[in-house]
Amino acid sequence: MSTPFPSPSRLMLALAGLPGLLAAQPGPAVTTLPQVTVQSDAIQETATGPVQGYAAQRSATATKTDTPLIETPQSVTVVTREQMLDQGAANIQDALGYAAGVRSDAYGLDSRTDSVRVRGSSPDTYLDGLRQAFDYYTSTTRTEPYTLERLEVLRGPAAMLYGQGSTAGIVNMVSKRPQDTFQGEVGIQYGSHDRKQIQADLTGPLTEDGQWLYRIVALKRQADTQVDHVPDDRTVLMPSLTWRPSAATSLTLQALYQDDKSGSTSQFLPWAGMRTPNPNGRIPTRRFIGEPDHDRYDSRRRSVGWLFEHRFNDDWSFSQGYRHARNKVDYFTHYADSFSLPGGWAADPDGQRIIGRYADDSITEVRIDTLDQHLQGRLRTGIVEHRLLLGVDWLQYRRERESGFGYSTIDAYDPVYGNFTPPTLTEEPRFKLRQTGIYLQDQMKIGRNWIVAAGLRHDRARSGLDGGRTDKDQATTKRLGVMYVADNGWSPYVNYSESFTPQASTTRSTPEGGVPETYEPLRGEQWEVGVKHLSEDGRNLFTAAVYTLKEKNRLVPDESGPLNNVQTGKTRNNGLELEWRGQISPSVDLIAHYNYIDLDDELEGMPRHQAAAWGKYRFSVAGIDGFAAGAGVRWMSAFRDGDAPTTQSVVLWDGMVSYETRHWRYALNVNNVTDKTYVATCLSRGDCWYGARRSIVASATYRF
């Protein structure tokens, strides 16, 4: 008979009390550490703090410890705040456009969510190391890049540390946090589609002794999109407060208030008229087939939480993160019936103008509580230095939803609105999920050059719908990485990792209208072999990796309907990734990557080849410093998803010019400079998505 886990509060107390049992270990005990202030123009980089340039040297995403990337035996990409600023990233998809192993516009322009693919699969998203959401776009709010310090992609299974990490890996977003020196900025933007935005970021000490620090990030935007009748309005307020009673203890309180008013730029339009010939020509990229006074994607996100850390002595510390989040989405939409016949014009197979459209309305509210805490310590046994991590995480997720469906038709080439009946909403069964995991990790440094990272975790999860079956799942997952850190800067490694992902928000219908049932958890494993190189000055980081990913219980579209899924047996994909980030001279920053992936036939199509490069050059004009110009190119090869028409290869260009003084920064960003009209993806089920057209944004920022 299995023994249930103790409650998270008991586990927290047990972890916090462990250092007392380890008092006999080497290392002087301290009760209060002296506070040291260092004056320097350079940033002392940490795993969660600011980074100068494009090449971060440290991260905590892959290990939950502050570890140099050159000593991390797994693929990690860090997108810094400076890169997001230079590239004018308006969303997370934009910010990941130049990240290795990532397809950032997997479903084209999508105002509802940031749909990215990592190594062929959909990654899970985390914020400050805590799970951010479970559902798809039906109940999530897009994260505002302006609130982030950095954006990190851990490629490959991550269940040993995160439990819910998918086979693809995770995208971990790191929030801006209070700083101990005063700094602030206020900025404005104006750009394509009547984009108007104002933003502010203020941080510094509240008290002279530096015990209390604050940060306030705020943003207000009104904008349209390239699709008619779809706005992109946003209000964000993110305050945070840090209390540091001593150099040994830190508590940061965080909150978020975010309101979005938008719609769906995804119209799910058919092959014929998007990718294959249509007697009426190509469907315009601005086409909206919904109802202007009805369709919307309005979301409201509220969250509160904290990040706590205490050092018992030089060797042992305790950390805890907690967040309570509440998200509500009114999602009223119409999407094209592209699935009934090949080509998608079942309502008008000859004329191919009148298209069926599904009305799909829902109001969804979700609540998620996440808690992660761990004890970290250093030990030495002979020639082996151990960095131990013992932790427990817990989450509770609840979803309430009411929904309704309808059907009507519209002329896709000359739409006349108003011919529809709003669906009647009915309440769905409440969904609940609870999961607890215990994990142990040992980062071992053997002698001078060898590193071994080993970990083991056990999870238990309960999920189900009111009135239906409760599924109980448990899994033990592991990870092992071995790396040799050579004296010449090269670090070859091999890594094995596993994943375990309960399908928290996805259900399948039962015969004769029974209560929907949940799917089995996804299980995955990966072998990865790679090498990293850090230049002697620490400014350039090169990584190369080859991998094999296997997964079972993968969800794929079912032939019975476009929105129904079945769980396949086993899938497999292989790939190669090359990435270079750094500063090739004091005036030039450069990032570049190349991806190759060979997908299993049962997985959605992806370009086999992708490559991108971005560079920034700083220069003077007439003896005046502060000018910079940036240029980037993104390329993907042609690909095909099952029986769908081939999605053609595409080359996209981006650019930036800026001028910066001590207090001011002026910039002009242009994405998709040539205004290339392209189809990002066509799926075998019958629908296609357009990619983003040209976007021009001018900005001015005053810093103080």
Side-chain angles (χ1 to χ4, degrees):
M1 179 175 178
S2 60
T3 302
F5 283 129
S7 69
S9 59
R10 282 186 163 182
L11 286 167
M12 178 184 70
L13 293 172
L15 286 177
L18 272 177
L21 301 177
L22 298 165
Q25 296 294 336
V30 295
T31 55
T32 302
L33 299 177
Q35 186 140 356
V36 179
T37 302
V38 178
Q39 298 285 343
S40 174
D41 293 334
I43 296 175
Q44 185 66 36
E45 185 180 329
T46 67
T48 57
V51 177
Q52 288 183 331
Y54 295 164
Q57 295 188 27
R58 311 184 71 87
S59 171
T61 295
T63 60
K64 291 190 178 179
T65 65
D66 191 331
T67 303
L69 289 170
I70 195 65
E71 297 180 5
T72 302
Q74 193 166 348
S75 293
V76 182
T77 291
V78 179
V79 179
T80 66
R81 167 119 299 277
E82 185 170 335
Q83 180 187 335
M84 288 187 272
L85 176 66
D86 288 343
Q87 295 178 344
N91 49 61
I92 301 301
Q93 287 179 271
D94 290 348
L96 294 175
Y98 289 84
V102 178
R103 172 82 199 278
S104 64
D105 61 343
Y107 301 103
L109 179 71
D110 192 343
S111 56
R112 305 162 302 172
T113 186
D114 294 298
S115 296
V116 301
R117 304 273 291 279
V118 176
R119 293 187 172 178
S121 300
S122 298
D124 292 321
T125 57
Y126 284 71
L127 178 64
D128 296 323
L130 300 173
R131 182 71 182 252
Q132 188 189 40
F134 278 96
D135 264 325
Y136 296 100
Y137 51 80
T138 53
S139 59
T140 61
T141 297
R142 301 180 87 179
T143 299
E144 170 54 49
Y146 190 65
T147 65
L148 303 179
E149 192 66 69
R150 49 166 65 186
L151 183 61
E152 306 189 349
V153 182
L154 172 62
R155 302 194 289 279
M160 193 286 293
L161 282 177
Y162 294 97
Q164 298 77 40
S166 72
T167 304
I170 69 168
V171 174
N172 183 37
M173 300 169 288
V174 180
S175 300
K176 290 179 176 178
R177 303 180 187 186
Q179 302 295 303
D180 55 10
T181 57
F182 174 76
Q183 53 190 298
E185 67 174 40
V186 177
I188 58 172
Q189 294 183 2
Y190 182 77
S192 300
H193 313 299
D194 199 26
R195 177 189 179 94
K196 300 181 288 289
Q197 180 170 303
I198 184 170
Q199 58 200 35
D201 181 5
L202 305 172
T203 187
L206 277 175
T207 57
E208 292 184 2
D209 59 5
Q211 281 198 20
W212 292 91
L213 312 175
Y214 75 94
R215 191 157 194 166
I216 299 176
V217 181
L219 179 144
K220 179 73 174 181
R221 178 172 69 239
Q222 291 184 343
D224 297 323
T225 65
Q226 75 180 41
V227 176
D228 293 341
H229 309 295
V230 178
D232 183 22
D233 300 342
R234 171 168 291 169
T235 301
V236 174
L237 178 63
M238 189 183 78
S240 54
L241 183 67
T242 294
W243 177 45
R244 299 191 306 193
S246 72
T249 304
S250 173
L251 173 65
T252 297
L253 305 176
Q254 300 173 305
L256 175 70
Y257 170 97
Q258 181 171 337
D259 277 1
D260 287 4
K261 304 292 183 183
S262 188
S264 176
T265 54
S266 299
Q267 303 293 294
F268 298 85
L269 296 168
W271 300 343
M274 290 279 286
R275 183 63 195 90
T276 59
N278 184 298
N280 304 287
R282 193 173 200 175
I283 300 174
T285 58
R286 69 176 188 278
R287 180 61 66 236
F288 176 75
I289 64 164
E291 290 294 327
D293 297 326
H294 175 80
D295 287 30
R296 58 186 178 271
Y297 189 91
D298 295 346
S299 66
R300 296 164 293 284
R301 183 172 179 82
R302 311 286 186 265
S303 69
V304 293
W306 64 76
L307 301 170
F308 173 77
E309 183 174 356
H310 177 71
R311 292 179 57 194
F312 299 99
N313 52 47
D314 290 342
D315 296 321
W316 292 92
S317 64
F318 175 76
S319 298
Q320 182 186 81
Y322 170 78
R323 183 170 58 245
H324 170 78
R326 194 165 187 166
N327 215 82
K328 187 176 182 181
V329 175
D330 297 348
Y331 181 33
F332 294 1
T333 189
H334 288 78
Y335 58 89
D337 179 11
S338 300
F339 321 107
S340 300
L341 288 176
W345 297 92
D348 185 14
D350 296 324
Q352 295 190 14
R353 292 184 62 97
I354 307 302
I355 193 166
R357 57 177 184 171
Y358 295 97
D360 187 352
D361 292 0
S362 63
I363 299 176
T364 306
E365 184 170 356
V366 300
R367 288 174 288 173
I368 179 171
D369 293 275
T370 51
L371 174 71
D372 184 22
Q373 55 207 344
H374 50 258
L375 180 71
Q376 182 181 158
R378 295 181 182 272
L379 298 172
R380 187 176 186 93
T381 56
I383 64 169
V384 182
E385 295 180 6
H386 300 266
R387 191 174 190 178
L388 296 174
L389 189 75
L390 174 61
V392 57
D393 58 34
W394 169 87
L395 67 86
Q396 181 172 265
Y397 169 83
R398 290 153 290 179
R399 184 195 69 204
E400 297 178 353
R401 175 183 293 165
E402 49 183 333
S403 62
F405 300 90
Y407 191 86
S408 59
T409 60
I410 197 169
D411 188 332
Y413 287 87
D414 186 17
V416 176
Y417 304 114
N419 182 28
F420 86 110
T421 300
T424 300
L425 301 183
T426 57
E427 188 173 345
E428 297 182 10
R430 179 187 304 174
F431 179 87
K432 297 179 181 178
L433 178 141
R434 182 176 294 177
Q435 181 165 335
T436 304
I438 296 177
Y439 55 90
L440 174 65
Q441 176 182 264
D442 189 1
Q443 293 173 263
M444 294 166 276
K445 190 167 186 179
I446 306 172
R448 180 175 176 179
N449 302 106
W450 286 98
I451 290 176
V452 177
L456 190 67
R457 178 190 178 101
H458 187 73
D459 282 284
R460 291 187 180 178
R462 295 168 57 93
S463 62
L465 298 160
D466 286 353
R469 185 184 68 186
T470 297
D471 292 327
K472 300 179 181 179
D473 301 300
Q474 58 179 309
T476 299
T477 51
K478 51 190 175 292
R479 182 178 69 175
L480 176 65
V482 179
M483 171 179 273
Y484 182 81
V485 183
D487 296 334
N488 60 4
W490 290 93
S491 298
Y493 68 91
V494 61
N495 175 280
Y496 172 80
S497 56
E498 297 177 341
S499 66
F500 163 70
T501 310
Q503 297 302 289
S505 61
T506 311
T507 56
R508 54 186 169 191
S509 298
T510 55
E512 300 178 359
V515 176
E517 296 179 352
T518 55
Y519 288 96
E520 296 294 322
L522 276 67
R523 297 299 302 263
E525 61 179 26
Q526 172 188 267
W527 281 99
E528 177 182 320
V529 178
V531 64
K532 302 183 181 185
H533 180 264
L534 183 67
S535 63
E536 189 174 351
D537 60 9
R539 296 181 178 179
N540 299 281
L541 180 64
F542 168 77
T543 62
V546 293
Y547 62 88
T548 295
L549 267 172
K550 298 178 182 179
E551 190 176 43
K552 62 181 180 180
N553 298 332
R554 179 70 182 267
L555 296 181
V556 297
D558 186 14
E559 296 180 356
S560 63
L563 301 181
N564 296 330
N565 294 309
V566 295
Q567 288 192 292
T568 65
K570 296 181 180 180
T571 60
R572 176 175 179 164
N573 60 291
N574 307 298
L576 163 70
E577 296 163 354
L578 306 174
E579 184 173 43
W580 194 89
R581 289 176 168 267
Q583 188 177 67
I584 61 177
S585 78
S587 300
V588 179
D589 294 311
L590 181 67
I591 54 179
H593 80 264
Y594 166 76
N595 306 331
Y596 169 82
I597 188 169
D598 184 12
L599 281 176
D600 191 290
D601 291 339
E602 294 187 45
L603 301 177
E604 283 183 7
M606 287 275 291
R608 182 163 290 189
H609 305 275
Q610 280 184 261
W614 168 274
K616 182 177 72 170
Y617 173 60
R618 290 176 288 273
F619 58 95
S620 302
V621 175
I624 302 175
D625 296 331
F627 290 92
V633 59
R634 295 171 282 145
W635 167 75
M636 73 173 187
S637 65
F639 67 96
R640 187 174 183 179
D641 179 54
D643 297 329
T646 300
T647 299
Q648 294 180 315
S649 64
V650 64
V651 175
L652 303 172
W653 295 88
D654 306 314
M656 177 275 292
V657 292
S658 67
Y659 172 63
E660 195 166 353
T661 68
R662 180 181 178 184
H663 293 294
W664 286 95
R665 183 182 187 271
Y666 305 94
L668 181 70
N669 287 89
V670 185
N671 290 335
N672 191 356
V673 173
T674 62
D675 197 20
K676 178 76 171 179
T677 298
Y678 71 102
V679 174
T681 300
C682 283
L683 295 181
S684 59
R685 67 187 191 184
D687 50 343
C688 301
W689 286 271
Y690 278 123
R693 299 280 299 272
R694 179 168 55 208
S695 171
I696 303 174
V697 177
S699 61
T701 303
Y702 178 72
R703 294 169 174 167
F704 48 91

